[in-house]
Amino acid sequence: MSDAKKLFIKTYGCQMNVYDSERMAEALGAEGYEATDVMADADMILLNTCHIREKAGEKLYSDLGRMKPLKQEKPDLKIGVAGCVAQAEGAEIMRRQPMVDLVVGPQTYHRLPDLMEKVNRGEQAVDTDFPEEDKFEHLPKRISKARPSAFLTVQEGCDKFCAFCVVPYTRGAEVSRPPERLIAEARNLVERGVREITLLGQNVNAYHGEGEDGTWGLARLIWAMNDIEGLKRVRFTTSHPNDMEDALIEAHGTCDKLMPYLHLPVQSGSDKILKAMNRKHTAASYIELIDRIRAARPDLLLSGDFIVGFPGETEEDFEATLELVRTVNYGQAYSFKYSARPGTPAAEKDLVPDDVASERLQRLQALLSEQQYEAQRSMVGREVGVLFEKKGRLDGQLVGKSDYLHAVHCDAPEHMIGTVQRVRIEASVTNSLKGVLT
Ligand code: SAH
Ligand code: SF4
Ligand code: F3S
């Protein structure tokens, strides 16, 4: 039995938090912690939080409440809060829940060793700076075997200031990591078994990394990833419509490893609401952009984000959103009821009545689900690439992701985990596809 201390991390929010959680686990690994999936076994619990909607923040406090008995039973248990709620609320979290030992923001978790030293002395530690130094340069080198599909954060923060959004405040200004370091990190991932890399950023297509030979855009970075031997697939998320440069659109048609899937949030189909949201594009310019991308890659599967019930949204505005969805036809989408976030420009405005917003959300989700199921059904009979990621629940079955990011179940030998295989899709079930090796 190992005498390592046990670390339990719970991750909320976006993929950037998933990436950060992995890096924090590694940073704490150097402090003698090893990961556990069982909260009750933990010597340290770290909650990596999200602040994007009201419910996301509330979840933190209800989870902390449920941890009270654990802490009473095991007074040495350390409790940490990381991520965007940590950034936004800082020491306030400790005032609401004094049993919290550590609060660390998304830009300072490379300082975890120092912070833990403080915690181990019995003090509370808070660090929510936006430091000058690059945290990625201060994190432990990554050595352990990795899963076939990995995230790689290439850009953080956002300068767009959509009127509803906390990200520019919790993650700070846009910063891009230098391309040479990203290529080195990608190579390291591939050596450790990774076959698919998803480049991450709050505004990933605004990537502008300072390379040794000038500034790189996202398209150039994708092409550099394409050249990495052993890497099979590249994806990126999340993009803003105004940053879809020509070279990036073109890459969707010409870059072999770039997968035919694009998440391109539009939020609303009403120009009045888009203006109030400070999105700086119109419904028509978005649709025209989609047409250009589909001309480059006709089989692209499109994904989007929508907010209903933004202040001032009328039935007519909402109808315009439904109309845009019908025109674009999404293969996948996320939709949310507007949630007023303190400190954002829209927070002061009058809300759409909750029952109206809820009813609109239901109508929008019904339409989006219909499109999603149709996109899945249209895969039946087609042959797609599948990257097998793990064993399925049934004996002899593996689960993986298709080129279009659909989950696919398939009978296949275990040694195919971590490889891309050709699979013929035979059926579409609720949230996945079933196929056979060709
Ligand atoms: N950077 C990405 C994602 C931001 S957060 C982008 O620009 O698209 C993910 C999604 O959460 C957003 O696209 C938006 O649809 C939703 N969201 C953000 N703030 C919200 C709020 N205050 N209320 C409801 N949904 C929100
Ligand atoms: Fe938020 Fe808008 Fe920036 Fe996306 S582009 S992170 S929605 S402010
Ligand atoms: Fe949430 Fe922060 Fe991501 S607010 S969506 S975890 S950037």
Side-chain angles (χ1 to χ4, degrees), residues 60-257:
L60 165 66
Y61 288 106
S62 69
D63 274 1
L64 285 172
R66 266 186 280 126
M67 275 168 208
K68 258 194 187 145
L70 279 179
K71 179 100 177 178
Q72 275 157 2
E73 218 172 274
K74 208 189 219 178
D76 276 348
L77 173 68
K78 309 279 185 277
I79 296 182
V81 178
C84 291
V85 181
Q87 189 63 46
E89 302 201 0
E92 177 61 26
I93 296 170
M94 282 162 174
R95 275 190 285 277
R96 259 179 89 165
Q97 278 292 0
M99 66 175 188
V100 172
D101 302 283
L102 166 81
V103 173
V104 62
Q107 301 309 343
T108 46
Y109 61 75
H110 58 297
R111 296 178 181 162
L112 272 169
D114 291 344
L115 295 165
M116 287 309 292
E117 213 172 278
K118 226 173 150 186
V119 168
N120 290 333
R121 286 199 304 265
E123 295 168 38
Q124 288 183 316
V126 181
D127 192 344
T128 54
D129 282 356
F130 285 109
E132 284 292 314
E133 76 267 17
D134 176 356
K135 68 169 177 266
F136 298 108
E137 288 305 289
H138 293 81
L139 287 165
K141 208 174 153 41
R142 317 187 72 182
I143 44 172
S144 58
K145 192 165 167 18
R147 286 183 291 272
S149 180
F151 293 133
L152 174 55
T153 295
V154 305
Q155 178 276 341
E156 289 194 274
C158 183
D159 295 341
K160 290 276 190 293
F161 290 92
C162 298
F164 50 80
C165 183
V166 291
V167 169
Y169 311 95
T170 60
R171 293 272 174 166
E174 259 175 48
V175 179
S176 296
R177 298 177 62 194
E180 291 84 6
R181 287 190 201 151
L182 294 170
I183 294 163
E185 192 172 332
R187 288 218 172 92
N188 168 279
L189 287 169
V190 172
E191 277 162 22
R192 290 162 52 221
V194 168
R195 295 295 170 259
E196 171 180 273
I197 292 180
T198 302
L199 306 175
L200 295 183
Q202 263 90 21
N203 212 344
V204 72
N205 58 341
Y207 176 80
H208 54 275
E210 288 308 324
E212 279 153 16
D213 59 353
T215 307
W216 291 41
L218 185 65
R220 186 167 172 201
L221 185 64
I222 289 170
W223 278 104
M225 297 284 156
N226 192 61
D227 287 342
I228 296 179
E229 214 179 306
L231 184 65
K232 303 290 183 197
R233 292 170 154 187
V234 183
R235 304 179 185 276
F236 62 92
T237 197
T238 296
S239 301
H240 191 286
N242 290 2
D243 294 315
M244 283 307 289
E245 51 176 14
D246 290 346
L248 185 56
I249 295 176
E250 207 183 296
H252 278 282
T254 50
C255 181
D256 286 343
K257 293 181 188 172

Side-chain angles (χ1 to χ4, degrees), residues 330-375:
Y330 290 88
Q332 165 72 36
Y334 305 89
S335 47
F336 313 98
K337 199 156 69 169
Y338 170 72
S339 165
R341 307 309 288 132
T344 60
E348 307 305 317
K349 300 201 181 147
D350 289 343
L351 292 174
V352 168
D354 192 56
D355 55 334
V356 174
S358 296
E359 190 262 347
R360 284 180 192 162
L361 185 63
Q362 268 184 20
R363 278 155 69 198
L364 176 61
Q365 286 184 341
L367 175 60
L368 289 168
S369 306
E370 216 175 275
Q371 294 189 345
Q372 186 181 326
Y373 291 137
E374 190 43 48

